[in-house]
Amino acid sequence: MKFNPADKIQDLQYFGEFGGVNPSISDSSTYTFLSAKTMFDTFEGNAEGCYLYSRHSSPSNLYLDRALAAMEGTETANVSASGMGAITPTLLQLCGNGDHVVSSRTIYGGTYAFLKNFAPRMGIQTSFVDITKLDIVESAITPNTKVLYCETVSNPLLEIADLANLSKIAKKHNLKLVVDNTFSPLSVSPIKLGADIVIHSLTKYINGSSDTVGGVVCASQEFINDLKNVNSGASMLLGPTMDSMRSASVMKNLRTLHLRIKQHSYNATYLAEKFEKDGLKTVYPGLKSHPSHEVYKKMINPEYGFGGMMTVDVGNLDKANALMELMQERNLGYLAVSLGFYKTLFSAPGTSTSSEIPLEEQVEMGLTDGLIRFSIGLDNDIERTYQMMKDCMKEIGIL
């Protein structure tokens, strides 16, 4: 049977302590033991079903772990206090002094800054490549390479990683393929395409209400055990623990993810087609003009569409800023970073979410200062939204 991530979420059944339809929240930092022997066994990782300390795991976090693992089709998962709290321990668990990473050049600015500026302090080097050119990816691999890192849909240029072929390269060279799937939950299931580890910033689509910061690593039981090892696990020792209250909040929102993703995709497709027809330089994976449209079309679970992210280049930063300010004034969305909110969010990534990338490298990768990144919201009447946005563009002199 075809893997459908929404079905896996729907099939989850958790009962609260007193029969509640939502699982009980474990609001404890530490847990009691009936015997000293059980405490010892738990420290050693040999006591199944026992809780030690909430930095290691908690019942609330494990509920969400299982749900997200089911969604991604992995053996298990480990939630964290932020997306970066998932990314950095994963890379540090896989790499040490003298190791090398091959990464997509267009990734979230925080990830780029970690690999470019912070990881070298620990002797970890990174080669940043155009992930869409498989020959260049393979030629960047060295004997010290341990990880091939990419985003399914890159931030902010919306380049598409051909996960099936990247997986072949990774396996050929005995590398771990680590995929950030934040922009494409449900639409793409990277594990089914050969990825080893899947990461999400839960802050974005999965939570969907811009009130929580969180992350998750979905992987094999062996790798998650390594991450949580009390003696050598990067997640255990660096402490990016998610709060139980926040886990419970994300868990509730996860149940409506399939409905939200469908509407985000529908609205983004509508706007992208209209803007392109108007002559605007529009990038959206659902457009036939997107260079990786056919690749992405084969990768996605079709019912969830091509996602809610798109970019429009309006020529220069002054026009971009003027348009975003006017759209916010007209209640079309918010001039804000992040994505996956029920209102449309827009920002100029070169001066915000990708500002960690040096200007000359932004130019080289095609990140122009007139580029606006849109996270399209859940608007009920998207035709009305389009007309209002078009009026704003006319007023600024973009159309």
Side-chain angles (χ1 to χ4, degrees):
M1 289 179 64
K2 184 169 167 40
F3 178 80
N4 191 315
D7 290 347
K8 299 299 180 183
I9 296 169
Q10 183 184 327
D11 290 345
L12 294 166
Q13 188 177 50
Y14 298 134
F15 293 103
E17 185 179 358
F18 302 103
V21 294
N22 288 308
S24 301
I25 300 171
S26 176
D27 193 20
S28 292
S29 60
T30 191
Y31 298 84
T32 57
F33 293 87
L34 297 180
S35 76
K37 172 74 165 62
T38 309
M39 179 182 278
F40 173 78
D41 287 343
T42 304
F43 262 103
E44 294 297 307
N46 299 323
E48 199 67 35
C50 290
Y51 300 97
L52 171 69
Y53 183 58
S54 283
R55 176 157 57 86
H56 186 254
S57 65
S58 70
S60 295
N61 284 7
L62 285 176
Y63 283 129
L64 186 56
D65 288 344
R66 289 176 193 143
L68 293 167
M71 181 187 83
E72 285 296 354
T74 59
E75 288 179 343
T76 189
N78 185 48
V79 294
S80 59
S82 69
M84 289 303 293
I87 292 165
T88 54
T90 296
L91 292 170
L92 291 175
Q93 195 69 38
L94 293 170
C95 300
N97 186 29
D99 289 337
H100 177 250
V101 176
V102 174
S103 170
S104 171
R105 63 181 183 173
T106 56
I107 50 175
Y108 172 58
T111 313
Y112 177 91
F114 174 74
L115 288 170
K116 182 76 181 283
N117 306 325
F118 197 92
R121 296 188 200 176
M122 287 156 284
I124 301 167
Q125 302 299 324
T126 302
S127 297
F128 295 96
V129 299
D130 183 343
I131 206 71
T132 65
K133 294 184 168 57
L134 298 174
D135 56 335
I136 291 175
V137 171
E138 189 159 19
S139 66
I141 295 168
T142 74
N144 295 327
T145 307
K146 292 290 190 294
V147 171
L148 180 52
Y149 184 91
C150 66
E151 297 171 347
T152 307
V153 182
S154 78
N155 184 2
L157 297 181
L158 310 185
E159 292 177 341
I160 304 301
D162 184 346
L163 298 181
N165 281 314
L166 288 170
S167 171
K168 289 175 185 173
I169 293 171
K171 284 175 173 53
K172 177 180 172 184
H173 295 275
N174 197 29
L175 312 179
K176 294 294 184 186
L177 176 58
V178 180
V179 179
D180 182 336
N181 202 36
T182 298
F183 276 31
S184 45
L186 303 189
S187 291
V188 179
S189 301
I191 291 292
K192 302 302 177 183
L193 296 168
D196 296 292
I197 297 168
V198 179
I199 290 170
H200 284 274
S201 168
L202 302 178
T203 314
K204 314 304 193 302
Y205 283 112
I206 288 175
N207 185 57
S209 50
S210 289
D211 60 356
T212 295
V213 178
V216 68
V217 183
C218 301
S220 67
Q221 187 71 58
E222 181 183 14
F223 182 72
I224 298 302
N225 287 348
D226 288 345
L227 270 184
K228 294 167 73 172
N229 186 289
V230 294
N231 295 309
S232 59
S235 282
M236 182 63 177
L237 298 175
L238 295 173
T241 311
M242 190 174 216
D243 178 76
S244 292
M245 298 288 190
R246 288 306 187 186
S247 285
S249 174
V250 175
M251 186 73 191
K252 290 168 194 164
N253 287 347
L254 181 65
R255 301 293 192 173
T256 63
L257 180 61
H258 60 296
L259 300 173
R260 292 184 282 112
I261 288 295
K262 288 175 185 179
Q263 190 67 26
H264 285 302
S265 291
Y266 175 82
N267 285 352
T269 299
Y270 183 94
L271 290 177
E273 288 174 350
K274 289 288 188 180
F275 288 154
E276 185 173 63
K277 197 173 179 181
D278 289 335
L280 293 168
K281 188 178 178 183
T282 307
V283 176
Y284 180 65
L287 294 174
K288 290 180 180 176
S289 58
H290 191 288
S292 298
H293 172 73
E294 290 302 324
V295 171
Y296 199 50
K297 191 175 178 181
K298 290 174 185 172
M299 285 168 54
I300 62 171
N301 299 312
E303 68 177 292
Y304 305 111
F306 290 89
M309 302 301 296
M310 59 182 286
T311 67
V312 175
D313 195 328
V314 297
N316 59 62
L317 186 58
D318 288 340
K319 282 186 176 179
N321 288 340
L323 176 61
M324 291 188 292
E325 288 170 8
L326 185 58
M327 287 192 297
Q328 180 168 256
E329 188 183 306
R330 301 279 167 85
N331 197 25
L332 285 163
Y334 295 111
L335 204 176
V337 298
S338 203
L339 51 127
F341 191 44
Y342 39 78
K343 289 276 281 188
T344 293
L345 304 177
F346 30 80
S347 61
T351 54
S352 58
T353 53
S354 297
S355 58
E356 296 94 336
I357 301 172
L359 190 58
E360 63 274 12
E361 292 182 35
Q362 290 188 27
V363 171
E364 188 182 328
M365 66 177 63
L367 177 48
T368 59
D369 65 2
L371 193 77
I372 299 174
R373 189 191 76 175
F374 286 85
S375 167
I376 303 302
L378 300 174
D379 306 32
N380 178 58
D381 186 349
I382 196 62
E383 184 178 354
R384 171 177 174 265
T385 299
Y386 163 68
Q387 291 299 336
M388 292 173 70
M389 285 184 171
K390 189 174 180 180
D391 289 343
C392 291
M393 290 176 184
K394 286 179 177 176
E395 212 166 306
I396 300 298
I398 293 165
L399 286 177

